[in-house]
Amino acid sequence: MGLTLMAGLFSGCSSNNNEGNTTSEASSAPAASASASGTASPSDIKGDITVITQRTDIVDTVFKEYAAKFNEKYPNVKVNFEALANYEDQIKIRMNTSDYGDVLLLPTSVPIAQLPDFFEPLGDEADLSKQYTGLEERSVNGKAYGIPITINFSGIIYNKKIFSDAGITTVPKTIDDFTKALQTIKDKTQAIPLYTNYAAGWTLTQWEADLTTVAGDPDYVNITQVASDNNFVKGQPHYDLYKIMYDAAKNGLIEPDPTTTDWESSKSDLANGKIATMPLGSWAIGQIKGVASNPDDVGFMPFPTNASKVIVPLADDYNIGISVHSKNKEAARAWVDWFINESGYPTTEGGGMSPVKGAELPEILKQYEGTDVTFQTITPAKAGEEGLVDAIDKQAEIGLWQPDFKKRIIEAAIGNRKESFDDIMKDLNDKWTKARAEKVSSK
Amino acid sequence: MVGSSKLGYNNQGQKARSGFGLSSLSYRTQRIVIIVAFSLVPVLLLLTFSYLPVINMFKYSFTNWDGFSKHMTYVGFDNYRTIFTNPDYFSVFKVSLYYFFATFVQMALALYFATILSFNVFGKNAFKGILFFPTLLNGVAIGFIFLFFFKPDGTLDTLLQFLGLGSLSQKWLLNPNIINVSLAGASVWRYMGMNFIIFLGAISSIPKDVYEAADIDGANRWHQFIHIILPSIKRILQLNLILAVSGAIGVFDIPYIMTGGSNGSSTFVIQTVDVAFKYSKLGLASAMSVVLLFIVILVTLLQRVLVKEED
């Protein structure tokens, strides 16, 4: 496996943020100007726009630079920024009014079918998808309502030094290998084998992204799952996925007191050899390397799976879109196109892949060419079933993308609850079956 | 000007002719105008931020609104039926019992400190400040402070070790039998200052000569407490108790910030927030809030009735 080599290259690439990506910006620029010239020439576009972002950390620095560069091309557009610390919750409440900026991120909790009530269509999905990937996640009736600000891939971020200290030379591929590796780390090193970040909560939801890898099938999430009443039954991907979590917690392979974990310090603990693995998305790699004394120790591996094919799922980060209430839609559109194509955000600040087709791939993905690991977007839902997974999930109050039942699994594993793993899975499956019956029959 | 208008006539004929003024109105009307003008703003604020949302909440509780949709479907009493038939929604009230018992600890401590500090003791004002200080802190900050406090090898464990009680230390938030006691403890620390200051105010309103008379009659501090202080602040005691008990039913911030309601520390309000914002069932969550509102009203009425019988 070329994993060590790969990670070395990736770190070399990502450590110099803005400078290293000028080439990819330049290469994708013609595509953007081509699309913009279809509407009006840049200096004709006028107006004030407000861009709402979740990046409180860089809104006054990097975003200001973006605005300056944007104004070189569109001198008559004034761009204002607003950053929300708790984006998802705050924007949801503001969207009950008509004042939620001109350009904003599409909250993931808005049901897909309701997007047309709040967002301006950006064009036909069929046309736009020649230019961008990942549009299918936020499209309704053939119209695209958002473009992903970056494309993430999910798996396990690990500390290579701990693995080599424990004498593990090959990266574990199957679930058994992985569990054994965790045990070896516990026996031979001082490090915490698997950090759950239980207290932060949202970090636990990162596991759900690896469902595709465990299933070994890009169809599973949106097609197979909704057609099945046995979503949490033994042998199904959900069961296998969370069994890893349960077993690790039960065997003492997680942090000693999960209830008092701290996300910020967990990043430096992984970077500096106190934590061996954390299941997260690609967006975290940059943050962890940023606090590492030796960034080369930080590696990425696909989530363990028993499937024959290892699929690392590619998924949209937030999508960027335009409010239906915007008074300067042309200017807003210009910003959207510029931000995706020319700002360099998707690969630098976003830390993932650019959604622009033909844009250069991150080094980390190139290393997988020719191996049995494939990077793939998950199959979108069938026509008429858009958002059905979400609808069933909410009706059932399961919370696939919420921390609750993951916390329950950990609590049960460390003996704080009387129920077993199978009890929890049975309960979830009962809820799923009931809610699925209600949602499918009501359609 | 004011004096003249009060008497109902106008000694500046020219000015009165030039336009309509407050002074041209009768005293009665002026009074009404001023009262209305001054109360307009607070009443409007009250209506906008208290009553209107409550009315809307009642409205939402009969719909299946998801929080975004432009359309709400009227579902009648379905939401209420769900709450009262599914034991999951009500079982969390068990957690409130911890806070209910903590309430009495909190009141007792507050009363104890208020009594002591109402006499002349060393460092009186400094202690008042220290005890009241937590009330001034933001709930979120307190949540984070106590996360460090309860951490393994955190402040509490260090303190216990220092006192030679290291064997008592444990995982305060991990143990499901202890977690709610820990959280209720944090809650007591936070709200005791408020009770304390109210008690202190009530106690200092007792005339000093009553104590002097008691001293002459040979009453000690305990007698004074039982026979002078306690009867004098009975009303305030009842008021604090009502506030504290309804607070115990609606516990939210400390457990939400510290544990997010995990590990068996979820309360009814946390559950309501989860239902509304995690599962986008705003209708159901509104119904839960209405139920909570009625429970609090009921408890308050019950206390009123019980207290009246005593009189």
Side-chain angles (χ1 to χ4, degrees):
Chain A
M1 282 224 183
L3 262 172
T4 42
L5 179 69
M6 163 230 30
L9 279 170
F10 182 65
S11 67
C13 169
S14 68
S15 56
N16 48 354
N17 275 338
N18 288 322
E19 268 60 54
N21 276 277
T22 43
T23 47
S24 67
E25 270 175 45
S27 66
S28 57
S33 51
S35 73
S37 64
T39 50
S41 95
S43 56
D44 288 348
I45 299 177
K46 292 189 180 76
D48 269 25
I49 56 169
T50 302
V51 175
I52 305 183
T53 166
Q54 88 285 29
R55 296 299 296 266
T56 43
D57 51 339
I58 53 172
V59 69
D60 292 325
T61 53
V62 180
F63 275 64
K64 284 268 159 15
E65 289 165 25
Y66 286 168
K69 274 194 226 156
F70 177 75
N71 280 340
E72 286 169 15
K73 192 169 172 190
Y74 298 94
N76 297 321
V77 178
K78 186 169 183 328
V79 190
N80 306 302
F81 297 104
E82 211 179 303
L84 302 180
N86 190 350
Y87 185 81
E88 190 73 21
D89 291 346
Q90 289 173 308
I91 200 75
K92 250 158 69 177
I93 295 162
R94 268 180 75 169
M95 280 171 54
N96 278 313
T97 70
S98 62
D99 172 27
Y100 46 94
D102 299 284
V103 176
L104 69 158
L105 307 167
L106 278 56
T108 48
S109 49
V110 172
I112 312 275
Q114 287 180 27
L115 290 175
D117 291 341
F118 301 102
F119 295 95
E120 191 68 12
L122 299 175
D124 287 330
E125 192 205 328
D127 295 343
L128 274 177
S129 60
K130 287 176 197 144
Q131 207 179 336
Y132 302 111
T133 47
L135 294 176
E136 62 283 347
E137 278 189 36
R138 292 279 180 280
S139 285
V140 187
N141 299 327
K143 297 272 185 201
Y145 287 87
I147 301 170
I149 55 172
T150 185
I151 307 262
N152 290 319
F153 41 96
S154 297
I156 288 175
I157 300 179
Y158 72 106
N159 185 304
K160 280 184 261 174
K161 184 153 183 305
I162 299 176
F163 270 65
S164 64
D165 285 354
I168 304 161
T169 47
T170 51
V171 169
K173 183 183 166 249
T174 65
I175 293 173
D176 278 350
D177 288 350
F178 182 70
T179 321
K180 268 184 217 140
L182 295 181
Q183 188 64 51
T184 314
I185 289 166
K186 192 191 177 185
D187 297 342
K188 295 196 176 162
T189 71
Q190 295 293 311
I192 296 165
L194 177 80
Y195 203 73
T196 62
N197 250 316
Y198 170 102
W202 60 268
T203 36
L204 291 168
T205 66
Q206 299 288 311
W207 289 66
E208 188 66 26
D210 298 311
L211 185 65
T212 305
T213 313
V214 175
D217 177 6
D219 288 350
Y220 188 78
V221 174
N222 285 321
I223 296 175
T224 319
Q225 180 176 228
V226 286
S228 165
D229 268 343
N230 296 325
N231 198 2
F232 295 89
V233 173
K234 195 168 186 173
Q236 292 297 313
H238 264 121
Y239 187 98
D240 294 345
L241 171 64
Y242 290 108
K243 191 77 170 32
I244 300 174
M245 181 189 271
Y246 180 83
D247 287 342
K250 196 171 175 61
N251 298 329
L253 304 175
I254 61 165
E255 59 270 33
D257 183 0
T259 49
T260 51
T261 61
D262 173 28
W263 160 244
E264 288 302 327
S265 55
S266 79
K267 287 190 283 189
S268 56
D269 285 351
L270 188 137
N272 300 318
K274 288 188 193 143
I275 294 170
T277 63
M278 291 203 282
L280 290 169
S282 53
W283 54 267
I285 297 174
Q287 293 187 31
I288 293 172
K289 280 180 188 267
V291 290
S293 51
N294 178 15
D296 290 348
D297 284 345
V298 182
F300 174 85
M301 67 166 122
F303 200 82
T305 177
N306 292 337
S308 55
K309 203 170 150 198
V310 180
I311 299 169
V312 174
L314 298 178
D316 291 6
D317 199 294
Y318 268 118
N319 275 236
I320 187 171
I322 299 169
S323 160
V324 281
H325 301 288
S326 168
K327 295 203 171 57
N328 293 304
K329 283 178 187 155
E330 252 188 356
R333 183 58 196 269
W335 173 265
V336 169
D337 286 333
W338 186 88
F339 184 74
I340 297 292
N341 290 293
E342 293 175 60
S343 71
Y345 179 91
T347 47
T348 54
E349 302 301 333
M353 282 168 61
S354 167
V356 179
K357 284 205 170 151
E360 216 168 310
L361 292 178
E363 289 298 325
I364 195 167
L365 300 197
K366 286 184 186 166
Q367 293 304 310
Y368 283 98
E369 279 171 2
T371 67
D372 56 351
V373 177
T374 42
F375 284 76
Q376 213 171 344
T377 50
I378 62 172
T379 319
K382 282 191 233 167
E385 286 189 352
E386 292 93 348
L388 186 56
V389 177
D390 193 45
I392 298 173
D393 177 44
K394 286 196 168 135
Q395 177 68 23
E397 294 182 22
I398 290 174
L400 294 173
W401 291 95
Q402 298 291 347
D404 304 49
F405 80 76
K406 289 94 180 169
K407 287 190 163 183
R408 205 170 138 193
I409 289 169
I410 294 171
E411 286 159 18
I414 57 181
N416 278 10
R417 283 175 177 268
K418 290 191 187 76
E419 53 193 356
S420 69
F421 182 71
D422 286 290
D423 293 340
I424 297 172
M425 286 294 129
K426 186 178 178 307
D427 179 48
L428 294 178
N429 203 57
D430 290 348
K431 284 181 177 169
W432 174 269
T433 312
K434 184 166 167 279
R436 187 176 165 269
E438 285 163 5
K439 282 290 157 185
V440 174
S441 67
S442 71
K443 278 194 95 66
Chain B
M1 276 301 287
V2 174
S4 63
S5 56
K6 211 171 185 176
L7 295 168
Y9 61 82
N10 199 321
N11 58 3
Q12 281 180 321
Q14 278 187 326
K15 212 170 193 181
R17 239 191 300 127
S18 67
F20 177 82
L22 194 61
S23 51
S24 62
L25 300 169
S26 74
Y27 172 62
R28 215 183 123 75
T29 329
Q30 277 186 39
R31 210 170 64 163
I32 292 170
V33 167
I34 288 174
I35 289 172
V36 169
F38 273 91
S39 44
L40 198 65
V41 173
V43 168
L44 261 180
L45 287 174
L46 187 71
L47 287 178
T48 323
F49 294 108
S50 284
Y51 291 100
L52 196 67
V54 171
I55 292 166
N56 273 333
M57 188 176 81
F58 274 97
K59 199 175 80 188
Y60 297 148
S61 74
F62 295 104
T63 68
N64 64 358
W65 194 41
D66 61 2
F68 306 105
S69 178
K70 306 260 176 213
H71 319 282
M72 307 178 194
T73 321
Y74 177 77
V75 294
F77 281 92
D78 270 8
N79 289 329
Y80 292 95
R81 207 168 295 136
T82 312
I83 297 169
F84 288 108
T85 51
N86 190 340
D88 284 353
Y89 292 109
F90 261 100
S91 60
V92 286
F93 271 115
K94 272 185 292 189
V95 175
S96 291
L97 288 177
Y98 286 94
Y99 294 91
F100 181 74
F101 289 117
T103 294
F104 293 98
V105 176
Q106 182 182 325
M107 301 279 287
L109 281 173
L111 193 55
Y112 174 74
F113 286 123
T115 310
I116 286 183
L117 292 180
S118 66
F119 297 116
N120 278 326
V121 285
F122 173 75
K124 189 172 158 179
N125 286 326
F127 280 113
K128 275 187 203 167
I130 290 168
L131 288 171
F132 187 64
F133 169 68
T135 314
L136 304 172
L137 283 183
N138 180 303
V140 180
I142 291 179
F144 283 111
I145 291 171
F146 274 90
L147 267 183
F148 276 103
F149 185 74
F150 288 126
K151 241 184 171 152
D153 301 322
T155 322
L156 182 56
D157 287 351
T158 317
L159 193 73
L160 286 175
Q161 260 153 29
F162 182 74
L163 295 172
L165 297 168
S167 57
L168 284 179
S169 75
Q170 54 176 305
K171 302 206 165 105
W172 299 98
L173 297 179
L174 188 67
N175 185 338
N177 302 317
I178 303 272
I179 181 168
N180 284 314
V181 179
S182 306
L183 294 176
S187 192
V188 166
W189 184 82
R190 173 165 191 209
Y191 291 107
M192 195 200 71
M194 199 64 197
N195 289 149
F196 161 76
I197 215 81
I198 295 173
F199 284 141
L200 195 69
I203 292 173
S204 39
S205 71
I206 303 169
K208 286 275 174 286
D209 45 356
V210 180
Y211 294 117
E212 279 166 24
D215 275 337
I216 291 164
D217 287 346
N220 61 19
R221 289 282 191 237
W222 174 248
H223 290 139
Q224 288 178 3
F225 174 73
I226 291 290
H227 297 291
I228 300 172
I229 296 178
L230 218 48
S232 313
I233 62 162
K234 201 172 153 203
R235 278 281 156 214
I236 299 292
L237 200 64
Q238 285 162 2
L239 174 80
N240 262 342
L241 197 67
I242 290 174
L243 290 178
V245 170
S246 39
I249 298 168
V251 181
F252 174 67
D253 51 359
I254 297 274
Y256 190 76
I257 295 153
M258 288 179 64
T259 65
S262 50
N263 205 11
S265 65
S266 187
T267 66
F268 193 71
V269 185
I270 292 180
Q271 210 174 33
T272 308
V273 171
D274 282 355
V275 166
F277 299 109
K278 280 188 181 162
Y279 306 115
S280 294
K281 293 182 177 174
L282 228 90
L284 182 60
S286 298
M288 289 170 78
S289 317
V290 171
V291 169
L292 184 69
L293 179 70
F294 277 110
I295 291 174
V296 171
I297 292 175
L298 198 76
V299 169
T300 313
L301 286 179
L302 211 67
Q303 277 177 323
R304 279 267 173 97
V305 171
L306 290 177
V307 163
K308 253 199 190 128
E309 278 171 2
E310 272 177 24
D311 283 346

